[in-house]
Amino acid sequence: MEDFLKDKFKGTLFGQAIGDALGLGTEFMTKAEVRKCYPDGLADYSQIVQDCHRGRWQKGDWTDDTDMMMCIVQTIINDGELRPLSVARNFKEWFRRGPMGIGRHICNVLSIGDYTEKPEVVAKKVWEMSGKKSAANGGVMRTSVIGLLGEDVEKHAADVCRLTHADPRCVGSCAIVSLMVHSLVYEDEILPIETLVEVGSRYDKWIEPYLRMAQEDSLDALELDDESTMGYTLKTMAAGLWSLYHCGSFEEGLLAVVNAGGDADTNGAVAGSLLGARFGYENIPVRFIEGLARKNVLDEKTESLFAVLCN
Ligand SMILES: [Mg+2]
């Protein structure tokens, strides 16, 4: 039983990191550009084109999405439980080190001086100043680890989202992804769409149509590569769920999502975590694991987190 749980646990965190690292290869590309750069499709870190965006990372390294997830992981290891203010402090410390690939909204929030004292208030103010329009995927990109907690998953997902993202679409998408991870890891069950619709209705009316799109046959319905909406939290949530509902393996699901372009590192991070939670670490192709630039760090932190949460 413990081995089964650990396999799912590792699958979630490695799936996230792998999806992030591979998705960088098509980040900000249209589907046509993806085809031009990778005529046979992107299927390995070694293929990643070294242009001025991607060349800043070592091939196989993850980006800000998984960096922020690791801030949460480290907090839980240190505190023995999830404490939102500790997470906010880790976010700020990470931000001070000048990370690459950080989104504009998160940058605006973490730049504010008294962020660590009242992160939620700061995040809400920044959102209000944006005209309450911003619903970026910076919360959902790091939420998979919350699904590994034993209890109060929805509340913790909402609390950690609100440390940077106040919009109810962001909070609802974090709740949905975290609850799905939890169900896959602890119950080995894919939550039915109607359950997710019910969760979403507690947050925002726009969540349901995206959940329905995640049920459509083709991923094209989500238009992931549309330039003006590619960082939208509901698109990222729906892309991850689409892969879970439609694909028979980790590899099939992840490659479908990253080869669709758009905000592909983030879409890949969410899809990868859900697929890893479903199929487990053992079913992730070895080349994806071995090629991860910071594989050893992730391995060590995953072991520590598992010891804290599951012993
Ligand atoms: Mg990123």
Side-chain angles (χ1 to χ4, degrees):
M1 184 58 206
E2 195 186 304
D3 285 353
F4 181 77
L5 190 59
K6 198 173 200 179
D7 185 59
K8 295 276 210 168
F9 208 91
K10 278 183 90 168
T12 306
L13 299 186
F14 272 82
Q16 150 111 24
I18 289 165
D20 182 357
L22 191 67
L24 174 67
T26 61
E27 188 187 10
F28 303 140
M29 291 184 188
T30 62
K31 216 175 162 180
E33 286 165 343
V34 174
R35 264 198 301 269
K36 209 173 148 203
C37 272
Y38 310 105
D40 300 318
L42 173 65
D44 193 67
Y45 313 122
S46 61
Q47 293 169 269
I48 294 178
V49 292
Q50 297 297 287
D51 54 17
C52 57
H53 174 52
R54 276 156 272 272
R56 296 179 294 157
W57 282 269
Q58 190 186 340
K59 285 180 186 182
D61 204 359
W62 63 68
T63 74
D64 58 317
D65 310 60
T66 305
D67 276 345
M68 289 194 91
M69 186 198 79
M70 294 298 271
C71 290
I72 304 172
V73 169
Q74 193 58 52
T75 303
I76 302 170
I77 294 170
N78 291 351
D79 294 345
E81 61 181 4
L82 185 95
R83 293 184 195 153
L85 281 179
S86 299
V87 176
R89 269 197 300 274
N90 277 1
F91 284 170
K92 184 80 178 191
E93 252 170 57
W94 165 76
F95 180 67
R96 282 204 186 103
R97 295 197 292 270
M100 296 187 292
I102 191 165
R104 195 190 319 143
H105 177 81
I106 292 209
C107 186
N108 290 342
V109 172
L110 295 182
S111 309
I112 292 181
D114 55 355
Y115 172 74
T116 48
E117 282 134 60
K118 36 188 181 175
E120 270 195 37
V121 177
V122 168
K124 194 159 179 225
K125 207 158 266 175
V126 171
W127 174 63
E128 283 166 353
M129 276 159 50
S130 83
K132 299 189 178 179
K133 286 197 194 98
S134 161
N137 54 15
V140 77
M141 74 184 190
R142 62 183 191 231
T143 203
S144 59
V145 60
I146 306 292
L148 301 179
L149 296 168
E151 52 197 11
D152 297 330
V153 166
E154 185 172 350
K155 183 189 179 298
H156 289 313
D159 288 349
V160 172
C161 179
R162 290 192 183 108
L163 293 175
T164 51
H165 290 68
D167 191 287
R169 291 166 292 178
C170 299
V171 183
S173 53
C174 285
I176 287 170
V177 170
S178 301
L179 287 169
M180 183 64 98
V181 166
H182 186 84
S183 174
L184 291 164
V185 170
Y186 290 97
E187 314 291 338
D188 197 25
E189 231 177 78
I190 301 183
L191 291 174
I193 197 76
E194 294 310 326
T195 303
L196 303 184
V197 167
E198 202 188 307
V199 174
S201 70
R202 295 201 275 275
Y203 297 92
D204 195 276
K205 67 176 192 304
W206 289 107
I207 295 176
E208 179 172 352
Y210 278 85
L211 291 171
R212 301 284 174 208
M213 274 189 261
Q215 303 272 287
E216 300 231 1
D217 290 344
S218 169
L219 188 55
D220 292 344
L222 283 169
E223 298 179 340
L224 293 179
D225 63 348
D226 174 58
E227 208 175 314
S228 59
T229 55
M230 62 170 62
Y232 188 26
T233 192
L234 296 181
K235 281 199 171 187
T236 297
M237 169 198 77
L241 293 172
W242 181 90
S243 70
L244 196 58
Y245 286 123
H246 293 82
C247 300
S249 71
F250 178 89
E251 182 166 18
E252 183 196 346
L254 183 60
L255 295 189
V257 170
V258 303
N259 281 286
D263 199 353
D265 62 329
T266 301
N267 297 339
V270 173
S273 65
L274 290 167
L275 292 160
R278 179 178 178 198
F279 295 107
Y281 180 80
E282 288 296 317
N283 289 310
I284 295 177
V286 174
R287 72 176 192 281
F288 287 149
I289 294 170
E290 291 305 319
L292 267 185
R294 284 185 274 171
K295 173 191 162 236
N296 293 343
V297 177
L298 184 59
D299 211 27
E300 186 193 310
K301 298 293 176 192
T302 304
E303 290 290 334
S304 305
L305 186 70
F306 186 78
V308 167
L309 293 179
C310 298
N311 281 340

